[in-house]
Amino acid sequence: MIDTRKCELIIGTFDAERFWRDPNLAKLPSFPDLEMENIVMAMDELLFPFCEAQDVLITRYQMNVYHKAYLHSIGFKFMSNSADLERPEGGNAGRNANIFDLITSSDRIGDADPQWLDGARLSPFAVIPGADRAAARYGLKQDFPDVETVRTVNSKLYSTELNRRLGLRSDSQTVYSHEELLANGLALLSQGPFLIKDEFGVSGKGNLLIESEAILRRVTSYLGDQYSKGKVVRFIIEPFLHKELDFSCQFHIDPDGTYRHISVQKLVNYNFAYQGSFTADDRLLQLLQEAEYFEVMKQVARELYLAGYYGDVCVDSMLLTDGRIVPIVEVNARRSMSLIKHYVDRYLDKHSATGSMTHVTVQFSCDVTYDQLLETLDREGVLYKPDRGFGILPLSANTLLINKAVSERKGIRNKQVKGRLYYSLIEGAQDYERLSAKVKEVLSSLSFKIVG
Amino acid sequence: MEEQIIALIGEIKDDAQLVLSLNEHSNIMKDGGLDSLQLITFVLKVEERFGIEIDFEQFDLDLMESVGTLCRYISELQKTASV
């Protein structure tokens, strides 16, 4: 008999910031990218590395059967739902409901055994509104902080204030009106380009680089229009800093406040968008030790705990071209892509391997299946298997194929759609660049056009 | 105008090679590879370069289906603005 007390229900949504953000805040100009939104909603399949045997992963869309079989075959043990929680082509209603709303409003969590759920622990990617209701609804154990605390500490206002409270040099300032944005923005612009950041913006969304007075005035006027319609204008602005490197520190705060360091990951970004995570090398770690960076992380943990937060944390940091370290760019009081990478690394470590995590964005209209992709990668000798010791370990399938599924369910065939494949690249004794090029060659041979 | 649009895409993507591969028929988002964040930067720069104002809320992304289509839209806006 399974000891349900030890089991976890792994679940989450990757656009947590959307559910923390006050809808009454004015927004920077943006265009919706519905295909990318579909991909983000399918990203919860990336949570499988957090599972141990007997744990259950609940995903909005059931995991691809071939992907799941592959993961099981290489040693990842977990159960997951084999029915969609909602129809992928559902449209706006689905977009507005987070995954906790979806499971609370239905009688069951996918096809999970209700008996199994009783006494299991809810382990969310991020504590968003509805997580507590879902736990209560299914009798799941919950030991996470309340959502208001989590919302507060995830705001960029909190990160900005934390820098000041810890006496760290900070170039960020908060502006509370469009007039203040214009005045302070013009002052910053006289020194060079600057960034406007949304309070709950995420990588690739919610940041705007301002390089000219004309564009600043245009954005200010756009925000002024929203103010006149009752929206609240509140943004963080800061000079555009010349970065040598983005990196992040993952740590855990126990319920009693104990700090546990997990890892440091280097992030490769391109035009503000995440490209991949690589384990920090000794040189970077040495540099951080000398700069007493880890002391700052402990202080951050203490402040977060005093604010009522405990659980996983990922602090985004920067190394500037002039050698200065900016320890707190942003506090993410939740799990993170870098933490997923760390868990994949833990798996690889058991097989004496190491990997980096990245993704490739594609456009395609062909009828390729995930099974074909795995077969081709295997045939070309680049599908990771423990006895092979190198290759790529595909971490996602739905993110690649979701828009094709949406399109087909709407009766549209051969439409060119966007997809994204997340994978861990395990170099082994191979050359990183050659292996990466081989993966892209395989995707191209299957008629995927690589666009990012 | 088409050359200026293509140059702007190359500037945002920081990719000189990309400029050589684009023409009036190129899809700005798909062939130009602009994601949603780059797209807003692109549109703001288009406004600045051509002295026009685009309604972000009403903007039809189908206008990005080709460089030529966007150029015709910009010309229309310029004509309207000068009336």
Side-chain angles (χ1 to χ4, degrees), chain A residues 228-434:
Chain A
S228 65
K229 291 173 187 159
K231 296 283 183 184
V232 174
V233 176
R234 192 166 64 217
F235 291 95
I236 290 100
I237 58 172
E238 61 188 33
F240 180 68
L241 301 172
H242 295 282
K243 281 182 293 192
E244 178 75 30
L245 181 70
D246 276 312
F247 61 97
S248 67
C249 180
Q250 291 73 50
F251 58 82
H252 186 89
I253 307 169
D254 288 344
D256 67 358
T258 305
Y259 168 91
R260 285 194 286 125
H261 173 76
I262 297 175
S263 73
V264 174
Q265 305 288 340
K266 294 193 289 184
L267 303 183
V268 178
N269 281 315
Y270 183 70
N271 280 350
F272 308 128
Y274 169 85
Q275 292 294 299
S277 298
F278 297 76
T279 303
D281 50 32
D282 290 343
R283 192 165 154 236
L284 176 61
L285 293 176
Q286 178 69 28
L287 188 72
L288 298 180
Q289 289 282 7
E290 287 167 6
E292 298 185 336
Y293 170 84
F294 295 108
E295 293 308 310
V296 175
M297 291 302 108
K298 285 178 191 166
Q299 289 175 0
V300 171
R302 198 155 43 240
E303 290 290 332
L304 284 170
Y305 187 67
L306 289 173
Y309 182 81
Y310 53 91
D312 288 307
V313 181
C314 174
V315 177
D316 292 342
S317 310
M318 288 191 296
L319 171 64
L320 304 182
T321 47
D322 64 4
R324 178 159 75 95
I325 290 169
V326 183
I328 310 169
V329 174
E330 190 175 321
V331 173
N332 298 294
R334 53 169 170 74
R335 288 179 164 174
S336 58
M337 292 296 282
S338 292
L339 191 65
I340 292 172
K341 181 200 173 289
H342 172 75
Y343 274 74
V344 174
D345 286 349
R346 286 199 335 186
Y347 157 82
L348 291 172
D349 192 49
K350 288 181 202 158
H351 300 284
S352 309
T354 55
S356 54
M357 188 164 87
T358 188
H359 64 242
V360 61
T361 307
V362 297
Q363 294 277 355
F364 67 106
S365 58
C366 53
D367 283 328
V368 68
T369 65
Y370 202 75
D371 190 26
Q372 280 175 286
L373 172 63
L374 292 178
E375 264 181 25
T376 313
L377 287 168
D378 195 18
R379 195 170 57 242
E380 295 297 321
V382 287
L383 180 67
Y384 174 77
K385 291 176 176 178
D387 55 0
R388 185 173 271 153
F390 69 90
I392 72 152
L393 194 171
L395 301 171
S396 70
N398 288 340
T399 59
L400 180 67
L401 301 174
I402 186 69
N403 286 310
K404 186 76 181 159
V406 170
S407 172
E408 284 179 354
R409 288 196 193 195
K410 286 180 176 172
I412 308 164
R413 290 190 65 84
N414 302 319
K415 184 192 171 195
Q416 196 176 63
V417 294
K418 190 187 284 183
R420 182 173 276 183
L421 178 68
Y422 287 87
Y423 57 93
S424 181
L425 196 144
I426 299 108
E427 228 174 308
Q430 308 292 305
D431 175 69
Y432 178 91
E433 294 299 333
R434 195 182 301 171

Side-chain angles (χ1 to χ4, degrees), chain A residues 24-282:
Chain A
N24 202 38
L25 286 174
K27 280 184 182 172
L28 291 169
S30 67
F31 296 119
D33 182 343
L34 299 184
E35 289 197 337
M36 202 58 223
E37 286 176 19
N38 285 338
I39 290 171
V40 171
M41 284 204 284
M43 281 177 76
D44 50 9
E45 60 186 337
L46 284 157
L47 298 175
F48 74 85
F50 293 127
C51 296
E52 298 194 0
Q54 309 304 337
D55 286 347
V56 173
L57 170 63
I58 297 295
T59 54
R60 183 178 285 257
Y61 312 123
Q62 62 169 308
M63 285 185 74
N64 180 286
V65 288
Y66 298 109
H67 185 217
K68 204 156 80 170
Y70 162 73
L71 294 173
H72 286 169
S73 75
I74 63 167
F76 285 99
K77 300 295 178 205
F78 62 95
M79 295 176 279
S80 71
N81 49 308
S82 47
D84 295 339
L85 298 187
E86 67 159 1
R87 292 178 300 127
E89 72 280 22
N92 281 339
R95 287 177 205 285
N96 293 330
N98 72 44
I99 196 160
F100 297 109
D101 297 332
L102 284 179
I103 61 172
T104 308
S105 61
S106 64
D107 285 339
R108 47 195 298 127
I109 306 180
D111 50 3
D113 178 0
Q115 269 197 316
W116 179 92
L117 293 171
D118 189 28
R121 179 176 167 270
L122 181 62
S123 179
F125 177 77
V127 180
I128 57 173
D132 51 353
R133 282 197 302 277
R137 166 74 180 77
Y138 292 100
L140 301 165
K141 282 176 66 177
Q142 52 170 312
D143 52 3
F144 43 78
D146 69 87
V147 69
E148 280 312 315
T149 299
V150 179
R151 189 200 305 269
T152 301
V153 298
N154 275 290
S155 158
K156 286 193 180 65
L157 298 185
Y158 178 84
S159 298
T160 304
E161 176 54 29
L162 188 58
N163 270 299
R164 283 191 230 298
R165 209 174 321 138
L166 297 180
L168 301 168
R169 177 177 160 185
S170 172
D171 302 306
S172 301
Q173 52 180 298
T174 307
V175 290
Y176 294 91
S177 70
H178 58 285
E179 293 97 340
E180 194 181 359
L181 170 63
L182 180 61
N184 296 11
L186 284 171
L188 280 178
L189 206 51
S190 67
Q191 306 296 313
F194 76 96
L195 281 172
I196 308 179
K197 291 177 159 185
D198 185 280
E199 209 174 304
F200 284 106
V202 288
S203 175
K205 205 174 174 185
N207 290 346
L208 195 58
L209 180 64
I210 301 293
E211 296 175 285
S212 74
E213 183 176 333
I215 289 182
L216 172 62
R217 288 188 182 279
R218 173 71 174 105
V219 172
T220 307
S221 148
Y222 180 71
L223 295 172
D225 286 347
Q226 292 180 63
Y227 172 74
S228 65
K229 291 173 187 159
K231 296 283 183 184
V232 174
V233 176
R234 192 166 64 217
F235 291 95
I236 290 100
I237 58 172
E238 61 188 33
F240 180 68
L241 301 172
H242 295 282
K243 281 182 293 192
E244 178 75 30
L245 181 70
D246 276 312
F247 61 97
S248 67
C249 180
Q250 291 73 50
F251 58 82
H252 186 89
I253 307 169
D254 288 344
D256 67 358
T258 305
Y259 168 91
R260 285 194 286 125
H261 173 76
I262 297 175
S263 73
V264 174
Q265 305 288 340
K266 294 193 289 184
L267 303 183
V268 178
N269 281 315
Y270 183 70
N271 280 350
F272 308 128
Y274 169 85
Q275 292 294 299
S277 298
F278 297 76
T279 303
D281 50 32
D282 290 343

